[in-house]
Amino acid sequence: MQFLYSLAILLSVPLQLFPAVRIMENGLFTRSGKLDWNVKWRKNTFRFFVVMGCTAISWAGAKDLDKFVAFVGSFAWYVLRDASIKRTARADFPAPYSVPLCYVYPAMLHYKACARTWKQKAADIALGVFGVVAAVYTTAQTISVSNLTSYS
């Protein structure tokens, strides 16, 4: 089963990486690579180093996968429910519960799209600050538990 999961992750990497690389390319490169070979090879080199950087980070985190997933989940701010923590009964190891996804992003969206009065804007800012503080706290907890506790 782990092999199939690994294969699914491996095959979905281009789908996950393409939007992020495209956004970074739009910020770094002003011209298209369709007509200019120099720009095309710069973009290819940039893509290569992004993939190699992600590979190096993954390789470094592979030893303690549950700790790595918890850290990435709290730092990178996405929904995470680490089943391995429940399966191995490590209740003292913190798992982030999508704090930014619940508090930061909706507040930012509401602030830009809907907030008209100063009360609405203040509430959105307060909720966003709370989310950032909570995300920093979960990241710090994950790091401190990872450094202090050995589960080997």
Side-chain angles (χ1 to χ4, degrees):
M1 188 59 116
Q2 286 181 338
F3 173 74
L4 293 176
Y5 178 71
S6 300
L7 186 63
I9 295 298
L10 180 68
L11 295 175
S12 69
V13 166
L15 296 173
Q16 297 170 15
L17 200 56
F18 179 73
V21 169
R22 189 74 163 171
I23 291 169
M24 290 187 288
E25 283 178 356
N26 288 341
L28 293 174
F29 300 102
T30 56
R31 298 185 318 199
S32 172
K34 290 182 181 178
L35 301 175
D36 189 354
W37 282 89
N38 191 20
V39 173
K40 180 177 276 193
W41 279 104
R42 283 187 195 164
K43 285 184 175 184
N44 287 338
T45 304
F46 173 73
R47 292 172 189 157
F48 172 79
F49 282 113
V50 167
V51 170
M52 288 297 109
C54 290
T55 303
I57 291 169
S58 299
W59 195 330
K63 182 179 177 188
D64 293 319
L65 185 61
D66 55 345
K67 296 174 187 175
F68 180 69
V69 168
F71 174 72
V72 169
S74 61
F75 182 76
W77 301 2
Y78 63 87
V79 178
L80 173 68
R81 297 222 180 241
D82 189 15
S84 68
I85 291 172
K86 294 174 185 144
R87 185 177 61 238
T88 57
R90 296 179 184 170
D92 58 333
F93 192 72
Y97 295 106
S98 66
V99 172
L101 192 60
C102 291
Y103 299 114
V104 177
Y105 298 138
M108 288 171 53
L109 181 63
H110 185 268
Y111 183 86
K112 291 297 261 183
C114 302
R116 302 284 183 251
T117 67
W118 69 270
K119 285 183 182 180
Q120 290 174 337
K121 290 181 180 183
D124 289 338
I125 291 170
L127 190 59
V129 168
F130 171 77
V132 169
V133 169
V136 169
Y137 174 75
T138 59
T139 303
Q141 283 297 105
T142 302
I143 291 170
S144 68
V145 170
S146 296
N147 289 339
L148 297 176
T149 310
S150 175
Y151 293 114
S152 299

